[in-house]
Amino acid sequence: MMADNSTEKRGFRFGDVWQIFGQRGSLKKLGILFALVAIILIFQVWTGGTTLSPGNAINLVQAYSFILLLSVGMVMVIIAGHIDLSVGSVAAFVGIVVATSMRDWGLPWWGGILLGILLGAAIGAFQGFWVAYVGVPAFIVTLAGMLIWRGAQQWVGQAQTVAVPDEFKQALYGFMPEVGPYTGFNNLTLLLGAIIIAAIIYSQVRNRAKRKNMEAVLEPSWVTITRTAILVAIVIYATLLFASGRLGTSFPISGIILAVLIMFYAFITSRTRTGRHIYAVGGNRRAAQLSGVNDRRTDFFVMMNMSTLAGIAGMLWAARAGAAGPADGTGWELDAIAGVFIGGAAVAGGVGTVMGSVIGGLVMAVLNNGLQLIGVSTDRMQIIKGLVLLVAVGIDVMNKRAGGPSIIGTMMAKMKAKQAAVELEATTGEAQPADPTDPLAAKSDSVAASDPKSTT
């Protein structure tokens, strides 16, 4: 059966507007995104334009990139049904060891970075072993890790601050150099923005051509054009914002590191077998085991990955502060967990996305930055941030408890049903697993086919 591509040529329909944001989106994800935009605009007006000034935007990325990085790792841990309370202590321990190794052992800056990554991975492997192969709950293991690595940090650093060399600070916390003719902007930031715009246009055109070649149903042309125009406009604004700072500044290197890692882990969780196994283990561990998923290996991976990212976050902070100190990492795990839950992750596991956690982390970062700009004291900031977290998670929980459908679940079900209808219409009518080599996908299909309830 050949698919109908007639939607490509039809006129404007209000129901197609949501396709601009993607067919697989959810109200919770869009709601958080709109909340982020609203918070930015409120503080932009409240601070007289300071929030979106070049200097504050650069400072925002540099000051909170390590928290966003922790949120990326934490969402994978929470999706798998665990929690990690040790990330702040691990980051502090890695930071002091790297700073000490460069000061006392003569290790070059790049050797310090490599040591930090390996040390974070080793700590994660140690904690992951207790969780995956001994069976101790992650809450207990990481609670113990919080104490162990905090004590180790104070033992290695002798409760003193250890400075890091300038090369280390430039590599992780610096800016791209000024090159080329004077344009009033940082030319490399302009080049970076041009590359991103080209990538956006290419991906939109390629995806549309791919669906057309597959004879799948195409979204209306105006939807694709509008989505591309919105994304390009956002990138142009951000590029000019970061490129127009004071001379010698640009889009921060820490932001580039963060962006690369976000794209990498978004791909891992959405397009690979490892990502599907993480969701399967968090959604229903027993079913995942019966489907052939190695849940122990999955648990080991998410715990080791989390500590590796915590090590990188610790080095980013040490580069920003110019030194590693005894107070580093205090309360970081709470900010990371808050960002993940604000971004739509479920407490019970199985639900959550990397991009959602990043948006949730940005909500906390912008809120924190805006409150600082208007002079709110630290105690009241903690109260406001706590209320935001409580309201964001409580809305969905109260809706479930009242007996009504979950906002998240309802929207996701609608989106999935719509997506399934589109895909069914675009194929010959025979469902195929996403990856024939994936035992989970293959067995899930076979189970669904043999289960009479699945046809009702």
Side-chain angles (χ1 to χ4, degrees), residues 59-139:
N59 177 63
L60 191 65
V61 174
Q62 289 182 316
Y64 297 98
S65 57
F66 63 96
I67 291 295
L68 297 178
L69 186 58
L70 291 177
S71 296
V72 171
M74 188 66 75
V75 72
M76 298 172 68
V77 174
I78 290 176
I79 289 172
H82 301 297
I83 197 77
D84 193 334
L85 302 177
S86 67
V87 293
S89 298
V90 172
F93 177 62
V94 171
I96 196 68
V97 169
V98 169
T100 303
S101 68
M102 291 187 291
R103 185 195 64 177
D104 297 343
W105 307 344
L107 212 61
W109 65 268
W110 55 267
I113 293 175
L114 182 61
L115 173 64
I117 294 173
L118 294 176
L119 181 59
I123 293 172
F126 172 76
Q127 296 188 155
F129 169 78
W130 286 94
V131 174
Y133 297 104
V134 179
V136 179
F139 178 84

Side-chain angles (χ1 to χ4, degrees), residues 252-269:
I253 292 177
S254 58
I256 296 175
I257 296 173
L258 175 66
V260 170
L261 290 174
I262 288 173
M263 289 189 290
F264 174 73
Y265 283 104
F267 174 79
I268 290 291
T269 54

Side-chain angles (χ1 to χ4, degrees), residues 26 42-43 67 69 157 168 176 181 233 245 287 290 345 357 360 363 435 452:
S26 69
I42 289 172
F43 281 118
I67 291 295
L69 186 58
F168 183 83
M176 293 182 287
L290 294 175
S357 66
V363 169
D435 182 359

Side-chain angles (χ1 to χ4, degrees), residues 43 47 51 56 60 64 365-376:
F43 281 118
T47 59
T51 298
N56 189 63
L60 191 65
Y64 297 98
V366 173
L367 193 63
N368 210 43
N369 176 262
L371 293 174
Q372 287 179 344
L373 290 176
I374 61 177
V376 175

Side-chain angles (χ1 to χ4, degrees), residues 59 62-64 66 164 169 172-173 315-323:
N59 177 63
Q62 289 182 316
Y64 297 98
F66 63 96
V164 296
K169 290 189 287 185
L172 296 181
Y173 181 67
M315 290 188 287
L316 287 176
W317 173 259
R320 178 177 186 268

Side-chain angles (χ1 to χ4, degrees), residues 56 67 73 94 115 159 231 247 260 270 284 290 332 375 391 421 453:
N56 189 63
I67 291 295
V94 171
L115 173 64
L231 293 175
L247 188 64
V260 170
S270 63
N284 189 323
L290 294 175
W332 288 8
V391 170
K453 296 180 179 179

